[in-house]
Amino acid sequence: MNQTLRILHLEDNSSDAELVKRFLKKEEIDFEIRVTENKCDFTKALGEFCPDVILADHRLPAFDSEQALEISFQHNYKTPFILLTGNVSEEFAAGMIKKGAHDYVLKSNMQRLPNAILRAVEFSRFEEERQKFLQDVIASEGLLREAERLAHLGSWQIDLTTQETKWSDEAYRILGLDPGETELTYERFLEFVHPADHATAKEMFAPDMLSQNDEIKSNIRIIDKFNNLKYIRSALKVVKDHTGIPVKIIGFNLDVTETVKAEQEVKKRESFYKKLIERSSDMKILFSSDGMILYGSPSIKKILGYHPGEYLGINGLKMIHKNDFRKLVTRMKNLIPNDGGAFYNQQRIRHKNGSYRWCAGTISNHLNDPDINAFVANFRDVTARKESEDKLIQSQSHLLASQRIGNVGSWELTLKRSDTFDYGKTFWSEQTYRIFGYEPDEVEVSSEFFIERVHPDDRERIRISTREAIRSSRFYSSEHRILRKDGQTRIVQNNAEVIRDPITLKAIKMIGVVQDITEIKSAQMALAKSEANLSSIVHNTELAYVLLDNDLTIRFYNEPANAGFLREAGKQLMLGSNVLDYFTGDRRNRLIDTCKKVLAGGKVNYETSFTSENGVILWYDNLNTPVKDSDGQILGMILSRTDITERKLLELERENITEDLIQRNKDLEQFAYITSHNLRGPVANILGSVNILQEEDLGKTEKKVFLSVLKQSVDKLDTVIIDLNHILEIRNAVNEKKENVILSGLIVDIQSGIQQTIENEQVKFVLNFSECNRVLSIKSYLHSIFYNLITNSIKFRKPDIAPQIEISSQVHPGILRIIYRDNGLGLNSEKLKSQVFGLYKRFHFHTEGKGMGLFMVKTQVETLGGRIKLNSEENMGCEFILDFKI
Amino acid sequence: MTQTVTYIVVDDDHFNNTICSMIIKKYMQATEVKIFTEPESGLLYFKEKLTSARENEQIFLFLDINMPQMSGWEFLEEFEKLSTEIKNAVKIYILSSSVNDQDLLKSKNNALVTDYIIKPLTREKVFKLLQP
């Protein structure tokens, strides 16, 4: 006991009093004792000394213990009273205790005294507390009932020995019952428990549980009489007897349904809100008015590198760059009284790695919002933009850059009611004023003021797009004309963001920047125009263009290129596809070779042809060139292609004509040569004969010989001249009348003319003019041509095989082809090709002939505008192909 | 011993051959005059009869160009294949009615050909030929 024990001792025997002191000292009790010998002193001491315990001798002169007990009771009945006496009867002692004495100690048994005192004091204290408790309980019983009702706390008890149960009124109400409506038992209570919590509830009352615990707590759900789900926090207090056997359970049921529901609601809202925030790449930071961070969205990790543990509960202002600190703090301070207000700010925030990131966005005041109780910052990392701006400023084009940046003004528009577009306060930055031609703060601005400054033709559009931006909360961007104060019209770019209340999601503000883009715009327009011009040139040209990357990806093509690919590769060109994918096989390989050469820096130029579906041959001139940057680095290549079909056809025609001319020239040369030879031969003989006849002395016989030579030579000369005349006649016979010649009829005519020969030689004809039997031509020439061919075939027949002559006609585009075939001796045509149609050429010498036949055939065919070709092998017969234009 | 001189004419033109033999016999001291109207026969003569040229034998060949079965040029191609002795022993003259420059040029470029004579062969042409 740490308190000095105050003892009032009633004793007239001083030696006894000393003895008490000694005993108490011996027990090391810290005490203070006052000894009184009479009634007066004793009474006085009760008031002054306020003893914790009273020791009283029984018999004193004119005073005794009975009186003393009475007096002390009157004073304070709680002070323990111990009778300390010599011999007294048992009855007396018992009577005293009955009267209220706490204990009695015999002087002969003084050693028991200290313990008796301590026990008495302890008891009295306990009793005092008990009394006090009882008083409190009694006093508050009425309140308790009310409190139970308000707190939805029901109480009950079960006497385990008698199974008697008691339920408070609120315990009934929690179950949806009227107090006392029915007799409640443990089993009846279980019927109300939610099936899923039955096991839990039963377990609470299990004998083991009760014997091992003094207190059992559990959360269970119940379904009340009206089928309402209720959340109950249940606590049991187990009362046990001195052997530890549970005898009684006192229980409390607290209905926490509303709390749980509220918590659930809060959680739901929280998670919803969190998700909203966390999905955004912007940083959302909730912080108290003094900067303490209460919440941060996950993007903080991404942007600033911090884990939640590294910033939660920390003063976020410490992370602000010192140059941005003062402004931010000032603005925050100003924002405190502005409930629901916001401002836009840019500040550097320290990254975990020590660097600073520029973060821009709004800070809004939600201190009085019970759900938030904080400032809400909505920041975006604008470092890259900021850095590029800074670089621009630092660059040599300082003047230009500062002008451009200087041309950006900002503005804010408060929205009183977003649904009615009721605009509130408007703020313009100094530069915004300047853009509109005003001095800063020269006039008071408003949304009306702004709209009046917008060019009349743009006004309605701007009004609508602004409303649309507010309604949809989209990023707002518009380009429009404004009328400056000085009357000048300028073009501005307006970009704005709609700020929403993060809780109500109502648009509360528009924050925007405005930039004078007149110069940029006119430059852009000029560029767009020149681009459009270029593009129209590229698209309207006949030339096909395909622009390729280094990896042969198609980056650009024009319509002629697309048409070409569609025609030849059967595929539309696709930007981003590989040009090699359009071709296969040889074409692909050729293209790969070409591209390699070009990408190595060379130009590749070649011609290609393509035969279209209708048989028309298209010709292209392809020029593939590398594309280089100013350093000469190869960036890609251009495939360009020109349709040169027309040019090519002319060229081919020219080639044909040239070839024709060369052939004709050769023919003429040969004609000249042969004629000269054939004319010159007889002439030489005539000259020789005349010489001899004139100069020599000739005998009669000799003279006769040379005169004969002379005569025959002159005859031969005459024949040659007649032949030539005939040939020349044919050559010049273009004006002869053309008529429809039936080929089968023509052959019949020829056959009848040489009927005897055909019969003798047993010539067989195989004719097939089914494809074409009629040709507009000069009949006599055709007659001559086939007459010569047929007689040749018979003349140059193989001796052992009967001649067979096959004649057929074929129609080709623009051409009638007649194929004439025999089974005669044939010629080695390759060797004799140049001579076969020559004049006076003969290849077989066993028959008569002067070598005029094929020459005449050729001449006549060519005069008719056709061509003749011979295919032959020695002993394999001849095949003549005659092509006539139709 | 007097020199043996043989004149050979290869030409399909009978009239020309008549004129030639007349002129040669009259104006040249010909030991022998041989006329071939078919070039193949002429070639055969060189191949078989003149396997080795006789000593002091002078041979003159008058060769026509325009012949149907084998032209003078083809004849020369075959002649080229003969032995050097024969080639050395034979002096070849082209005798043609052609006045074409091409023929003239062609014969000049042929090493076997000594000269080109335009028909007809006359006394004057023979004299000029025989001058050293």
Side-chain angles (χ1 to χ4, degrees), chain A residues 698-885:
Chain A
L698 300 173
K700 205 178 172 187
T701 320
E702 280 175 321
K703 217 174 188 174
K704 229 178 168 180
V705 168
F706 283 102
L707 278 173
S708 164
V709 168
L710 185 62
K711 166 82 171 80
Q712 287 182 47
S713 292
V714 171
D715 285 348
K716 193 172 181 193
L717 184 63
D718 189 41
T719 311
V720 170
I721 288 168
I722 289 167
D723 282 349
L724 285 177
N725 187 50
H726 184 48
I727 292 163
L728 289 171
E729 260 181 1
I730 290 169
R731 291 208 174 203
N732 293 324
V734 276
N735 292 325
E736 287 249 353
K737 195 173 159 248
K738 287 192 177 182
E739 59 187 304
N740 270 319
V741 181
I742 308 296
L743 294 173
S744 53
L746 182 77
I747 303 301
V748 170
D749 281 354
I750 296 166
Q751 284 168 337
S752 60
I754 51 168
Q755 184 119 31
Q756 199 56 50
T757 315
I758 290 169
E759 276 170 21
N760 291 346
E761 303 280 342
Q762 297 179 312
V763 184
K764 197 181 162 202
F765 283 86
V766 178
L767 306 177
N768 180 5
F769 299 120
S770 61
E771 242 181 82
C772 182
N773 195 19
R774 204 161 66 165
V775 59
L776 187 67
S777 192
I778 301 167
K779 189 175 181 182
S780 58
Y781 283 14
L782 284 182
H783 190 281
S784 166
I785 290 164
F786 287 102
Y787 177 87
N788 271 307
L789 290 176
I790 291 167
T791 51
N792 263 356
S793 292
I794 296 167
K795 257 192 251 174
F796 306 117
R797 61 165 286 180
K798 281 183 183 169
D800 51 338
I801 299 171
Q804 176 166 314
I805 294 166
E806 297 170 31
I807 312 173
S808 63
S809 63
Q810 291 176 355
V811 179
H812 293 273
I815 282 169
L816 167 70
R817 173 167 291 178
I818 296 171
I819 298 163
Y820 179 101
R821 210 175 277 143
D822 69 27
N823 59 349
L825 295 168
L827 294 162
N828 190 335
S829 70
E830 284 311 308
K831 189 185 168 196
L832 303 169
K833 204 175 162 187
S834 61
Q835 298 174 16
V836 72
F837 294 108
L839 183 58
Y840 303 122
K841 285 286 177 191
R842 294 180 59 214
F843 301 98
H844 300 279
F845 302 97
H846 65 282
T847 61
E848 286 300 313
K850 54 183 177 184
M852 278 284 282
L854 284 179
F855 178 81
M856 289 303 287
V857 164
K858 184 173 193 276
T859 307
Q860 284 170 325
V861 167
E862 285 173 357
T863 306
L864 290 173
R867 284 161 177 257
I868 185 164
K869 206 173 107 182
L870 169 66
N871 297 316
S872 179
E873 295 278 329
E874 208 153 358
N875 289 319
M876 295 295 283
C878 288
E879 182 190 66
F880 291 94
I881 297 183
L882 295 90
D883 285 344
F884 295 99
K885 281 181 189 164

Side-chain angles (χ1 to χ4, degrees), chain A residues 673 676-677 680-681 684-685 687-689 691-692 695-698 702 705-706 708-709 712-713 842 845, chain B residues 13 15-16 18-19 22-23 26-27 64-66 68-69 96-100 103 118-120 122-124:
Chain A
Y673 174 78
S676 77
H677 180 267
R680 199 45 196 103
N685 289 341
L687 282 174
S689 306
N691 266 339
I692 289 168
E695 291 176 21
E696 309 303 329
D697 253 347
L698 300 173
E702 280 175 321
V705 168
F706 283 102
S708 164
V709 168
Q712 287 182 47
S713 292
R842 294 180 59 214
F845 302 97
Chain B
D13 187 341
F15 304 142
N16 179 60
T18 311
I19 294 165
M22 173 76 198
I23 296 293
K26 189 121 194 204
Y27 298 105
D64 185 26
I65 296 171
N66 211 297
Q69 276 156 306
S96 171
S97 62
S98 174
V99 288
N100 192 293
D103 289 332
I118 295 171
K119 286 180 186 174
T122 59
R123 191 183 59 184
E124 289 77 19

